[in-house]
Amino acid sequence: MRVLILGGDGYLGWPTALRFSARGHEVAVVDNFSRRRWHREQGTDSLTPIRDLDERIAAWHEVSGKEIQSYLGAIEDGDFLEEVVAETRPEAVVHYGQQASAPYSMASREKAVETQHANVIGNLNLLFAIRDHVPDCHLVKLGTMGEYGQPEIDIEEGYIEIEHKGRKDTLPFPKLPASLYHCSKVHDSTNIHFACRTWGLRATDLNQGVVYGIETDETAQDERLINRFDYDEIFGTVLNRFCLQAVIGHPLTVYGAGKQIRGFLNIRDTLACVELAMINPAERGEFRVFNQFTEQFSVLELAQLVKHAGEHLGFSVEVQHVENPRVEKEEHYYNAIHTKLLDLGLEPTLLGEELVESMIHLIERHKKRVIESSIDPHTRWNPVKSPAGQA
Ligand code: USQ
């Protein structure tokens, strides 16, 4: 298949490009290196020493004999993106090319605007490019479980059948996004759904949970193919952060009570899910939604797991409850349905101590690169401290 991956230099985009290339797909990637730039601006970095995209691609060619084409530019530039789509004529576009950090989007007005501009406009440009050049192409869009929030009812996969005043309909599941980043993903879903209904495009929105892990089969083949690993308060996700904190002797930063529950998945399963969606495309006119995670955990359960695994390896690990910088429910009902990817054949990689220990080993190899001042949370959802209460 001809596949175009937006955000192909990123944490998920790079290993996806390698996996698809390894499996014989014709892969082109687009990136504007914004994640690298945001790190430079805030004085942080990936734990792992990632190479430049050109160097990574050359190394992959050396290792596998396969080519990956690259395009450097911002998808917010509609003319640029249109040219890339017209030239590559993809059968599938995998869209990861977004600002994906909730804290970044809450740090200032400028960063909120930047997030929504990059995400919403980039996605809109993509919809037009697909409509005008490759209308049969399948858009596989990375969404987020955070679009739904934590309602007091079970979360369905995208749609819910509602009976209201004696009439019934199946409608998009209600949304309660948890940050201005998560809001941008809701806006994207609305726009993609509209494009499917109106222009007959085909799309799958992958509402993904929180990803953890570092390596995939392909990135492990050569040191130059290594994946990025973020652990700072802005770009690091919770389990990755806890593993790193255990290694350097930093108390695990549980925000508030720690009873917040989220869906989680291993990075290898992200790639498997995206591939399953891609090779089983949506119908023309269909806006399909999959909930993409494999297990639910509370933050505290993860902290306890990392503490056990860390202590088993000889680290002394303390779990600390820090004041929650976010406005979010700290104790809530959570049951999200996630059967559609399993029905397509997903075989989940389940989280256990062994997996955490393997992450700890990899982190240990690079621990000299840790910038410890970037770990504690400083970005507050509500710096004004008005009585807004819980999300
Ligand atoms: N948390 C802690 N301690 C930390 C970091 C986070 O207790 O040191 C808590 C947060 O308060 C939150 C939960 O862990 O309740 C998850 O936070 P996170 O930073 O791991 O993930 P989140 O901000 O929700 O965003 C991440 C990705 C985002 C993706 C989302 C999926 O950055 O791109 O969309 O996970 S989901 O969470 O399902 O919305």
Side-chain angles (χ1 to χ4, degrees):
M1 239 175 170
R2 279 190 312 281
V3 191
L4 181 63
I5 300 175
L6 309 184
D9 185 49
Y11 173 57
L12 302 177
W14 173 242
T16 303
L18 295 187
R19 177 178 169 117
F20 288 0
S21 174
R23 291 172 176 230
H25 297 291
E26 207 178 299
V27 178
V29 298
V30 175
D31 213 294
N32 67 342
F33 308 130
S34 48
R35 175 68 68 96
R36 292 179 189 247
R37 173 169 56 82
W38 291 321
H39 269 297
R40 274 197 306 278
E41 284 169 2
Q42 65 182 33
T44 54
D45 201 356
S46 162
L47 171 77
T48 45
I50 53 172
R51 308 299 169 103
D52 290 344
L53 182 60
D54 285 349
E55 216 180 318
R56 289 173 140 186
I57 289 177
W60 175 243
H61 181 61
E62 220 180 286
V63 168
S64 69
K66 303 198 187 271
E67 306 272 355
I68 292 177
Q69 244 189 316
S70 65
Y71 293 86
L72 172 55
I75 64 169
E76 300 93 288
D77 176 349
D79 293 339
F80 160 76
L81 184 62
E82 188 175 2
E83 260 175 52
V84 174
V85 169
E87 192 176 309
T88 53
R89 302 202 65 76
E91 292 158 282
V93 175
V94 178
H95 182 11
Y96 296 119
Q98 301 202 304
Q99 195 301 98
S101 157
Y104 187 91
S105 76
M106 299 301 292
S108 66
R109 173 175 59 85
E110 290 79 5
K111 290 187 164 85
V113 170
E114 184 185 6
T115 299
Q116 295 217 351
H117 182 84
N119 293 4
V120 179
I121 304 305
N123 184 64
L124 205 49
N125 285 336
L126 177 61
L127 293 172
F128 274 92
I130 292 176
R131 183 196 74 170
D132 294 343
H133 295 279
V134 282
D136 202 35
C137 170
H138 179 208
L139 167 59
V140 179
K141 164 70 164 50
L142 195 73
T144 172
M145 286 301 293
E147 290 191 25
Y148 304 118
Q150 291 80 40
E152 290 292 331
I153 57 171
D154 287 359
I155 296 171
E156 301 298 328
E157 288 191 80
Y159 298 91
I160 183 168
E161 192 180 293
I162 298 180
E163 192 172 337
H164 181 62
K165 297 186 178 170
R167 298 179 65 81
K168 266 193 198 163
D169 203 353
T170 299
L171 296 167
F173 195 91
K175 307 289 169 69
L176 282 171
S179 70
L180 288 164
Y181 149 72
H182 288 97
C183 291
S184 75
K185 299 291 236 189
V186 174
H187 307 329
D188 288 345
S189 298
T190 305
N191 289 345
I192 300 170
H193 193 181
F194 176 83
C196 291
R197 295 197 312 274
T198 310
W199 301 332
L201 302 193
R202 57 172 99 226
T204 304
D205 208 357
L206 296 173
N207 281 345
Q208 182 165 255
V210 187
V211 184
Y212 63 87
I214 312 172
E215 268 187 340
T216 67
D217 291 352
E218 290 77 23
T219 64
Q221 285 177 28
D222 188 295
E223 196 60 30
R224 293 166 299 169
L225 301 176
I226 201 164
N227 199 14
R228 82 159 35 254
F229 184 85
D230 294 330
Y231 59 90
D232 58 286
E233 64 129 352
I234 300 288
F235 294 110
T237 50
V238 63
L239 181 57
N240 287 355
R241 278 167 57 74
F242 285 175
C243 289
L244 180 127
Q245 291 166 359
V247 169
I248 64 162
H250 189 290
L252 308 192
T253 52
V254 170
Y255 294 170
K259 292 188 179 163
Q260 306 92 311
I261 301 170
R262 298 287 183 274
F264 288 83
L265 78 165
N266 188 278
I267 187 167
R268 292 170 190 265
D269 286 353
T270 294
L271 309 195
C273 291
V274 170
E275 186 172 21
L276 282 169
M278 186 178 81
I279 61 180
N280 298 285
E283 301 294 330
R284 284 296 295 264
E286 184 187 9
F287 175 62
R288 205 170 54 165
V289 183
F290 295 164
N291 291 347
Q292 180 165 309
F293 69 95
T294 55
E295 299 172 276
Q296 294 187 178
F297 296 101
S298 73
V299 165
L300 211 47
E301 283 169 335
L302 294 179
Q304 293 302 345
L305 177 67
V306 172
K307 182 175 165 65
H308 271 121
E311 286 177 348
H312 184 232
L313 295 176
F315 295 99
S316 133
V317 185
E318 187 196 330
V319 175
Q320 192 177 54
H321 290 263
V322 299
E323 194 195 336
N324 198 335
R326 307 185 180 197
V327 177
E328 63 180 356
K329 288 181 183 170
E330 288 179 14
E331 192 161 3
H332 56 89
Y333 176 78
Y334 199 72
N335 186 35
I337 311 303
H338 56 109
T339 54
K340 290 188 182 173
L341 283 157
L342 296 171
D343 292 346
L344 287 179
L346 175 67
E347 290 172 18
T349 308
L350 299 181
L351 181 61
E353 267 188 42
E354 225 172 280
L355 204 51
V356 171
E357 287 180 18
S358 72
M359 284 170 66
I360 288 180
H361 285 310
L362 214 155
I363 290 166
E364 243 192 312
R365 273 181 34 213
H366 301 286
K367 73 173 185 192
K368 281 210 185 98
R369 289 173 49 88
V370 174
I371 301 165
E372 204 167 338
S373 58
S374 72
I375 291 176
D376 286 328
H378 300 293
T379 306
R380 315 194 70 81
W381 259 228
N382 187 359
V384 197
K385 282 233 176 253
S386 76
Q390 295 259 296

